[in-house]
Amino acid sequence: MPRFLRILALALLAGALGLWAAPTRHTVLVLYSVSPDVPGFPELGTAIQETLRTQAPYPVDVHTEYTALDRFQDPAYKANLLALYQAKYRGQKVDLVIPVGPSALQFIVDQDFLPGVPVVACYIARSRIEAARIRRPELAGAYPTQNAARTLDLMLAMFPATRRIHVILGASTYEREQAARGRELFKAFEGRVVIDYWNDLTLEAMEARLAALPDDELALFGSLLQDAGGRIFTTNEGVNRVARASRRPVFGVIGEDLGEGITGGVLLDMARSGRAAAKLGVEILGGARASSLPLRDDEGATPRFDWRELKRFGIRARTLPPGSEVRFREVGMWEMYWKEIGAGLAIIALETLLVAGLVIQLRQRRRTERALAATEARYRTVADFTHDWEFWQRPDGSFAYVSPACQRISGHAPHAFMEDPDLLGRLVHPEDQAAWAAFQAEALAGREEASFEFRLQGPEGRVLWVEQASNPVPHGGFRGSLRDITDRKEADLALKTALAEIGSLKDRLEAENTYYREKIQFVEPSSELLGQSDSMKYLLYRIRQVAPSETTVLIQGETGTGKELVADSVHRLSLRADRPLIKMNCAALPPGVAESELFGHERGAFTGAGSQRKGRFELAEGGTLFLDEIGELSAEVQAKLLRVLQDGTFQRVGGDRTLKVDVRVIAATNRDLDQEVAQGRFREDLWYRLNVFPITVPPLRNRPDDVPILAQAFVERFCSKLGRPVLRIPTAVVQGLQAYPWPGNVRELQNVLERAVLVSEGEVLRLAEPLVVSPRSLDRGGARQARLSLKEMERRHIQAILEETGWKIEGQGGAAEILDVRPSTLRDLMTRLGVARNRPA
């Protein structure tokens, strides 16, 4: 092959490989400590993502997480949150982390989350970023402009007689931190004005106080994520209501609140804060070290005002600070058409002078005719320049005048209506023609002023909504005006649609409230998943394994072991934790009722079904459904449950519409379902669907080391309920509790200790009666143990531990370590008690 051709082939091959090589991608994780749905934060998040995707040197994958640290700050929650994120992003290469809000940054630093990954702080005070940079050097940040103090200066400059300013903040952890920071920031104003902070008020209480503000007080709105009543706000409802209720101007600090009721202020631009942080991230993704980048002010605060609120409180625009921006200004007719109206008035004035000269020369009749002509001319001059379609119609239906605006609305020039007066009637929508014809007849008859809304076929076949107003004239006929109100009608339709959606959500909320009202009546106090035994540690490990997934879970265990608590833990640690956990005890309902409770029913589906009712699956939409004692379901209900697990669809009882749901199912049973399947009492295919991830809750007799922990917790709880000091539990009582086999498991232990607290006098706990296993429980393993001698119980316990450890005696995890004895002592006990491998029990 010639040398030239070889070189050309190699060049083509290199080019092809370059085209096929996949471009480098970056992964950026954005952590919010405030819900990204809160007003202002959607704009901030959008600015971050758009800047990264348009300015980064390589394609960027952006992942966002809401930490809920504005609501939960306890160490256990943070530890679980860290475990969740570590599991979720294990195996992924994260190139950059952007925390939005101080709690998110503090979480990254305290928990050492994603060590080595550079961090860019966003919407966090400079002092907090500098403190975090000491512990995590590879950290940069864009801090918001200090605008709160500037806004207070602006308020006092506009209202110098102000003696008190109320700072409106919610009751969340984040907002209480903002109040503490405000007290430091506003120290310079001490002596000039009194500043207080509303962190502990409900929204209604805020409205009541604002409605009664005196003339020397003002309000500064910070944020309202959660009020003192516990309500959480992710929309503009808070700022809308407090601003509407206040009798004095309400100022703000966030630009996104402008237009929602605040009068104005030196306002932050949240989108600019997001872009400033994202630009730092672009530099880091391009190779810069975060530690070498200086902290940056996002320079996003400017004086801005709402014209409508200025008008409401009588504030003149010329009194605002220089450089202020006024938005939402309503432009009047004079401001829009002052040139045209001025020219028209000048013409009218000139023609009036001409008419005055002619009046002197002509007779009275000509003077009247000239005056009438002048009047008509004035009307035409003004009407020709109006935005609405103006016309003058005679009693016979012909038009004396049609304004040029008719062409914009109808698509036909004025002369078309002058030549064909019936054209207007033909343009009316067929469904409205009869009503319009009746209104037109009344107008032509010279009746009183009236208006009528109807549809008109506009240009290019578009249907417009118009409002026709009629005003009778002295010589017959009427003067009419047609205004395009399509935008208003579409807004009304959108409002009706929104109200319908709100009604649907209200129905769902009422259904959920009904469920919870019924559920609350049967709630009993229960223990948490307490214990330090190996079996409890393994149980908690299994819960953490399955919780973040969408896998169906089957919980097995004896009655009273805490299967429902396991289901609660799986739901709380899942990605559905913010949605409801709906529970149903299958053993408490007959088959027909169980089907209605699960899937709901239509009105008239059976006797007593007076209205439609949603089932547990619909109430659990997006969340988790816990089916306790699932082995008690009838075969018919089992078949319908299988269908939901397979494809997520079902029908209400008595209905023919197929509904689809997204629900995670957790089932529990104290039966041996494998044996139930073998005996034909439980569907095999349903068993396989449920048994994806089985969790077995150990009975209390197999974890005696946990009995002291549970006993202490129960005694503290019951003493607290009775308002008495916590009783001391004697060692003999603890040993007795550990030796008892507990056929009723944790629930029986709870009942025994509650009775003991009730009957104990003094400072020491005394059991109400000796621990004796009832005859009804003699068929359980634990009850049979109660009749064994102490020596036999000790021998069986040692042999069970040896079998659990594979007969490993010494070393870590050996039987001696679990039993807390020396290996030599254990061997002596085995010899004395006759414990040997493969020895029959």
Side-chain angles (χ1 to χ4, degrees):
M1 179 184 294
R3 182 181 179 186
F4 171 75
L5 293 178
R6 288 200 300 270
I7 293 174
L8 180 61
L10 290 173
L12 291 173
L13 179 61
L17 290 175
L19 290 174
W20 294 338
T24 303
R25 299 189 70 87
H26 288 307
T27 299
V28 178
L29 176 60
V30 182
L31 292 182
Y32 288 90
S33 59
V34 178
S35 172
D37 295 328
V38 170
F41 284 89
E43 293 81 2
L44 181 145
T46 300
I48 290 176
Q49 297 196 33
E50 288 182 351
T51 304
L52 288 173
R53 288 170 177 159
T54 57
Q55 300 186 19
Y58 300 106
V60 176
D61 294 324
V62 180
H63 301 273
T64 60
E65 299 285 355
Y66 168 43
T67 64
L69 290 169
D70 56 333
R71 298 167 57 195
F72 309 107
Q73 286 285 332
D74 57 283
Y77 175 78
K78 293 179 180 179
N80 289 332
L81 188 66
L82 178 64
L84 172 64
Y85 289 162
Q86 287 176 337
K88 186 172 182 178
Y89 294 100
R90 184 181 294 117
Q92 295 190 43
K93 181 180 181 299
V94 178
D95 300 289
L96 179 66
V97 181
I98 301 179
V100 180
S103 298
L105 175 61
Q106 199 65 37
F107 172 79
I108 291 173
V109 175
D110 292 344
Q111 305 295 328
D112 195 21
F113 179 55
L114 295 177
V117 177
V119 178
V120 174
C122 178
Y123 198 65
I124 303 171
R126 177 170 186 159
S127 60
R128 289 180 177 268
I129 302 177
E130 291 173 341
R133 205 171 194 178
I134 297 174
R135 299 174 60 188
R136 186 143 179 171
E138 286 306 313
L139 187 148
Y143 54 89
T145 298
Q146 292 293 348
N147 67 318
R150 293 169 59 190
T151 298
L152 251 65
D153 279 328
L154 182 148
M155 295 166 67
L156 294 175
M158 293 177 63
F159 297 92
T162 300
R163 296 292 176 263
R164 182 182 294 272
I165 294 178
H166 307 282
V167 181
I168 301 173
L169 287 166
S172 68
T173 302
Y174 166 76
E175 290 165 320
R176 291 184 183 277
E177 292 176 354
Q178 291 297 99
R181 185 164 172 266
R183 292 184 177 92
E184 294 295 324
L185 187 63
F186 295 151
K187 280 186 176 180
F189 292 89
E190 292 180 358
R192 295 176 59 190
V193 65
V194 177
I195 302 175
D196 57 26
Y197 300 84
W198 291 0
N199 287 108
D200 299 308
L201 297 177
T202 63
L203 178 55
E204 289 74 15
M206 293 182 186
E207 289 178 308
R209 292 193 180 187
L210 288 168
L213 282 184
D215 291 341
D216 60 351
E217 295 185 10
L218 294 173
L220 175 62
F221 183 84
S223 66
L224 187 55
L225 308 179
Q226 176 182 345
D227 71 357
R231 283 182 298 175
I232 296 174
F233 302 92
T234 58
T235 66
N236 292 318
E237 180 185 356
V239 64
N240 291 153
R241 288 177 56 178
V242 298
R244 190 164 57 244
S246 179
R247 69 174 296 271
R248 298 284 292 154
V250 177
F251 289 80
V253 292
I254 303 299
E256 282 67 22
D257 289 338
L258 193 68
E260 301 298 336
I262 67 170
T263 301
V266 183
L267 304 181
L268 282 178
D269 188 331
M270 300 287 279
R272 187 176 296 181
S273 297
R275 282 192 294 272
K279 287 179 180 178
L280 282 172
V282 169
E283 294 184 38
I284 294 172
L285 295 177
R289 291 186 61 83
S291 57
S292 66
L293 298 175
L295 303 182
R296 297 179 185 174
D297 185 332
D298 62 16
E299 300 179 352
T302 56
R304 281 176 280 171
F305 297 88
D306 187 330
W307 184 87
R308 298 166 299 185
E309 296 300 315
L310 295 176
K311 182 179 178 182
R312 173 187 171 191
F313 293 106
I315 303 172
R316 296 184 179 275
R318 62 172 177 268
T319 65
L320 302 179
S324 296
E325 178 184 348
V326 178
R327 296 187 177 181
F328 311 111
R329 186 187 299 272
E330 297 176 0
V331 181
M333 181 70 73
W334 172 256
E335 293 173 307
M336 186 179 297
Y337 300 111
W338 65 273
K339 292 182 179 179
E340 292 83 353
I341 295 175
L345 292 175
I347 294 173
I348 292 173
L350 178 59
E351 291 187 353
T352 301
L353 292 174
L354 294 174
V355 169
L358 292 174
V359 165
I360 298 173
Q361 303 175 18
L362 300 176
R363 294 179 299 176
Q364 184 64 35
R365 178 176 178 183
R366 291 295 297 266
R367 288 199 301 268
T368 303
E369 291 176 354
R370 291 288 187 181
L372 182 60
T375 303
E376 182 178 350
R378 284 195 297 269
Y379 173 77
R380 288 172 178 268
T381 302
V382 176
D384 280 350
F385 294 97
T386 59
H387 187 72
D388 297 337
W389 173 1
E390 303 288 340
F391 60 88
W392 193 326
Q393 201 165 10
R394 303 185 182 96
D396 61 359
S398 62
F399 289 95
Y401 169 77
V402 180
S403 72
C406 70
Q407 189 160 3
R408 179 184 60 81
I409 297 176
S410 69
H412 297 275
H415 66 80
F417 295 94
M418 301 290 287
E419 297 170 359
D420 183 7
D422 295 332
L423 176 59
L424 175 58
R426 295 199 299 272
L427 293 178
V428 177
H429 193 279
E431 295 180 4
D432 298 336
Q433 283 187 350
W436 176 82
F439 172 79
Q440 188 76 352
E442 292 284 331
L444 290 173
R447 302 296 170 84
E448 60 185 11
E449 297 182 14
S451 63
F452 177 67
E453 296 178 0
F454 60 95
R455 286 166 290 179
L456 200 68
Q457 296 173 348
E460 300 178 358
R462 184 186 174 206
V463 175
L464 305 175
W465 273 98
V466 296
E467 180 182 24
Q468 178 178 330
S470 66
N471 188 8
V473 296
H475 301 289
F478 70 96
R479 181 174 59 82
S481 176
L482 281 173
R483 173 173 297 179
D484 187 348
I485 60 170
T486 305
D487 291 342
R488 191 188 78 194
K489 282 291 187 178
E490 290 177 350
D492 291 344
L493 179 60
L495 177 61
K496 291 179 181 178
T497 303
L499 291 175
E501 293 178 358
I502 292 172
S504 176
L505 292 175
K506 178 183 177 184
D507 292 342
R508 177 182 176 86
L509 180 61
E510 289 178 350
E512 291 183 0
N513 287 342
T514 300
Y515 164 76
Y516 284 117
R517 282 197 299 270
E518 295 173 353
K519 193 66 180 173
I520 288 171
Q521 297 175 3
F522 300 98
V523 170
E524 298 179 356
S526 59
S527 71
E528 300 175 359
L529 291 174
L530 301 177
Q532 294 295 325
S533 64
D534 290 341
S535 57
M536 279 303 295
K537 291 178 180 178
Y538 180 69
L539 173 63
L540 296 174
Y541 168 73
R542 295 282 285 173
I543 292 173
R544 288 193 297 271
Q545 268 188 318
V546 74
S549 68
E550 295 294 316
T551 305
T552 301
V553 179
L554 178 63
I555 306 171
Q556 303 176 90
E558 297 177 6
T559 299
T561 53
K563 298 186 288 297
E564 185 172 345
L565 292 176
V566 174
D568 289 338
S569 298
V570 172
H571 175 70
R572 282 200 310 272
L573 295 176
S574 72
L575 301 178
R576 299 170 178 260
D578 59 341
R579 295 295 300 149
L581 169 63
I582 303 299
K583 302 178 182 180
M584 174 174 164
N585 186 349
C586 303
L589 301 170
V593 178
E595 181 180 356
S596 174
E597 286 292 320
L598 273 175
F599 309 113
H601 62 254
E602 300 290 350
R603 179 179 181 181
F606 50 82
T607 303
S611 61
Q612 182 195 79
R613 180 172 181 177
K614 295 182 179 180
R616 302 297 169 89
F617 268 105
E618 288 184 79
L619 295 177
E621 171 63 31
T624 307
L625 177 60
F626 174 54
L627 300 176
D628 197 9
E629 303 300 347
I630 195 169
E632 305 294 335
L633 290 177
S634 66
E636 181 181 358
V637 178
Q638 289 179 31
K640 294 189 175 182
L641 177 60
L642 176 62
R643 179 186 177 188
V644 183
L645 294 178
Q646 287 175 334
D647 55 21
T649 62
F650 67 94
Q651 292 179 345
R652 296 194 189 105
V653 177
D656 55 3
R657 185 162 62 97
T658 300
L659 305 176
K660 190 170 182 64
V661 290
D662 173 23
V663 174
R664 181 185 190 179
V665 174
I666 301 176
T669 182
N670 60 6
R671 292 191 178 189
D672 185 349
L673 290 187
D674 198 9
Q675 186 67 24
E676 294 290 306
V677 170
Q679 296 179 4
R681 289 195 295 266
F682 199 84
R683 293 181 64 101
E684 185 176 13
D685 47 6
L686 179 57
W687 159 246
Y688 287 130
R689 282 283 178 181
L690 294 171
N691 198 35
V692 178
F693 194 95
I695 295 178
T696 301
V697 185
L700 187 56
R701 61 178 173 277
N702 289 352
R703 49 189 186 104
D705 292 343
D706 294 338
V707 171
I709 299 174
L710 290 167
Q712 185 65 37
F714 285 138
V715 169
E716 291 177 358
R717 175 184 299 170
F718 297 136
C719 288
S720 175
K721 286 174 60 177
L722 295 174
R724 62 183 298 180
V726 178
L727 299 174
R728 181 174 59 83
I729 309 176
T731 303
V733 172
V734 173
Q735 292 174 346
L737 295 175
Q738 287 182 292
Y740 185 66
W742 299 111
N745 291 294
V746 179
R747 186 178 297 128
E748 184 182 4
L749 173 62
Q750 176 181 337
N751 294 339
V752 167
L753 292 174
E754 185 172 8
R755 288 195 300 273
V757 170
L758 289 172
V759 302
S760 295
E761 298 179 353
E763 300 178 353
V764 179
L765 183 76
R766 296 287 184 266
L767 297 182
E769 62 272 325
L771 295 174
V772 179
V773 180
S774 65
R776 290 177 297 176
S777 303
L778 290 178
D779 58 336
R780 298 175 63 113
R784 288 196 297 270
Q785 290 182 14
R787 296 189 168 207
L788 300 177
S789 65
L790 180 62
K791 178 178 179 181
E792 180 64 14
M793 291 180 65
E794 187 176 14
R795 184 189 69 75
R796 291 193 178 192
H797 181 60
I798 292 174
Q799 184 156 353
I801 296 299
L802 287 167
E803 290 175 354
E804 181 180 342
T805 60
W807 291 83
K808 178 182 177 181
I809 297 177
E810 300 185 34
Q812 185 175 4
E817 181 184 46
I818 296 174
L819 294 169
D820 196 20
V821 297
R822 296 178 180 274
S824 58
T825 303
L826 177 58
R827 290 190 177 94
D828 291 342
L829 285 171
M830 291 170 61
T831 302
R832 180 159 49 85
L833 298 173
V835 177
R837 201 165 190 169
N838 298 326
R839 183 182 185 277

